[in-house]
Amino acid sequence: MSSQPETPFDSIENAHEYIRLLLETIAEARTDIAADLEAASEANADRRLEALRVVHYKLEKLEQHLHSSSRTLNDLRSLRRLLFEERAAPAVLKAEKGPEAA
């Protein structure tokens, strides 16, 4: 793990950033679809309205999956830090600070 990432997806942090950007894009798309839903509702465009409802549903599902992926990446990052001792364990920090830290 000492080598530098060659692509934007070679590190957990970069993948996490990508997921964050996707979530932002989905939020924007959901806003646009909500406006389209309102317009289709007012225009009595039944087929378009149903199609937009499906799109809205699919965006919600995608957003849920991406939130789950984001949490998984956080877990992986924490486990990597623990396994490769990228941060000191809490017990070590307390021992270094002395008994008054407890």
Side-chain angles (χ1 to χ4, degrees):
M1 294 215 89
S2 61
S3 65
Q4 288 288 51
E6 294 178 17
T7 69
F9 303 104
D10 282 345
S11 75
I12 292 172
E13 289 78 10
N14 289 343
H16 194 267
E17 177 65 16
Y18 180 72
I19 295 293
R20 187 189 65 75
L21 291 172
L22 285 174
L23 283 166
E24 285 179 15
T25 302
I26 289 170
E28 291 172 12
R30 286 185 64 196
T31 302
D32 294 343
I33 294 300
D36 291 346
L37 272 167
E38 189 174 320
S41 166
E42 292 172 0
N44 293 325
D46 293 334
R47 287 181 56 87
R48 180 171 171 76
L49 186 60
E50 286 303 313
L52 287 168
R53 285 181 181 151
V54 171
V55 169
H56 186 263
Y57 172 77
K58 294 294 185 175
L59 284 172
E60 283 181 346
K61 297 301 280 182
L62 181 58
E63 186 176 40
Q64 290 171 3
H65 288 296
L66 288 172
H67 278 295
S68 177
S69 296
S70 179
R71 288 189 298 273
T72 300
L73 286 168
N74 280 337
D75 293 345
L76 288 170
R77 183 174 48 200
S78 296
L79 289 167
R80 183 196 64 210
R81 287 177 178 167
L82 177 69
L83 289 170
F84 293 102
E85 300 175 353
E86 292 178 4
R87 61 179 160 180
V92 173
L93 291 177
K94 286 182 182 179
E96 291 174 355
K97 290 182 181 178
E100 66 278 352

